[in-house]
Amino acid sequence: MYFFKTDRSTPALVRKVLTDKGWQEVQEEQTHFHIHWKCQRFLKSEVYSCVANQRLNHFPKTSEISRKDNLCRNLRAMRATWGAIYDFIPLTYLLPNEYLKFVQHYSEQTEKAIWIAKPTDLSQGKKIFLFRELGELSYDRPNVLQQYIADPLLLNGYKFDLRIYVLVTCFKPLSVYLYDDGLVRFATKKYDTTALGDLFSHLTNTS
């Protein structure tokens, strides 16, 4: 018999799949389980109290790649180590710490570029905005500011993104399983750089 533990954040589908497979759910306070699955971050005590036959559905420190500002810092570090192979991200500034650097770069532009501002810790398109004029830059929380890719690949005039899902079971050695199915998401309005305030033209993850 295999046992699993969840909390209020766990999707009902996870419970259904596990129970359909014959797994038995235990109460939150119990320590006898094989899988502990939740959508929130695990406490250090929960991570370090696991024994050899117990698994959590999150690795510690995954915010190093899942938070936009941390991902930027790590990509910069990789670029400093490995060079041009990491030159695949747009020019990026972390606000508020790099605001003055951004203003200096902005003042040196011969042609005003489009910029996109994204809160570091939000998702689903929340509080994302685009701008050309410096006076339009306003924020109430840390942001990642990137030069907007003004000529993206479009499909019939619409922006889109591809989501490929993987399961990482180990980081050392790295073990990754690629799912056969993925997801394509489209903006709901045609791409138009004359309408920077229309997020339905520029974002594919609004909710």
Side-chain angles (χ1 to χ4, degrees), residues 44-207:
K44 281 187 177 180
S45 58
E46 293 175 311
V47 174
Y48 292 119
S49 64
C50 283
V51 296
N53 67 335
Q54 293 180 320
R55 296 290 183 270
L56 309 179
N57 69 306
H58 292 295
F59 285 98
K61 296 285 188 178
T62 52
S63 63
E64 290 297 319
I65 58 174
S66 62
R67 270 184 60 116
K68 301 178 188 72
D69 53 345
N70 290 339
L71 177 62
C72 175
R73 293 187 188 98
N74 284 310
L75 286 173
R76 286 175 176 177
M78 295 300 287
R79 183 168 54 195
T81 302
W82 301 105
I85 192 173
Y86 279 91
D87 282 341
F88 56 80
I89 63 170
L91 183 60
T92 304
Y93 295 93
L94 302 180
L95 304 184
N97 292 348
E98 297 177 349
Y99 176 76
L100 293 180
K101 286 184 179 180
F102 166 67
V103 171
Q104 180 179 352
H105 173 81
Y106 182 90
S107 65
E108 294 170 351
Q109 293 181 115
T110 55
E111 183 177 343
K112 289 181 180 177
I114 301 173
W115 296 85
I116 183 167
K118 312 171 190 177
T120 59
D121 58 347
L122 296 182
S123 59
Q124 300 176 331
K126 295 183 180 72
K127 293 199 172 187
I128 291 179
F129 63 95
L130 288 78
F131 66 95
R132 274 197 180 92
E133 301 295 334
L134 185 60
E136 298 171 343
L137 173 58
S138 176
Y139 55 95
D140 58 2
R141 64 202 308 135
N143 266 249
V144 170
L145 185 61
Q146 291 184 310
Q147 188 166 333
Y148 195 48
I149 299 175
D151 57 344
L153 179 65
L154 303 176
L155 191 56
N156 292 332
Y158 292 89
K159 285 189 71 174
F160 66 97
D161 68 40
L162 303 176
R163 287 207 165 190
I164 298 172
Y165 293 92
V166 298
L167 171 65
V168 180
T169 57
C170 184
F171 279 108
K172 191 176 182 180
L174 182 63
S175 299
V176 181
Y177 295 86
L178 176 65
Y179 285 92
D180 292 332
D181 295 329
L183 179 67
V184 182
R185 301 183 304 179
F186 289 88
T188 54
K189 291 186 179 179
K190 288 198 171 184
Y191 182 67
D192 182 3
T193 55
T194 66
L196 298 183
D198 190 350
L199 295 183
F200 295 110
S201 171
H202 297 279
L203 302 185
T204 58
N205 64 334
T206 51
S207 297

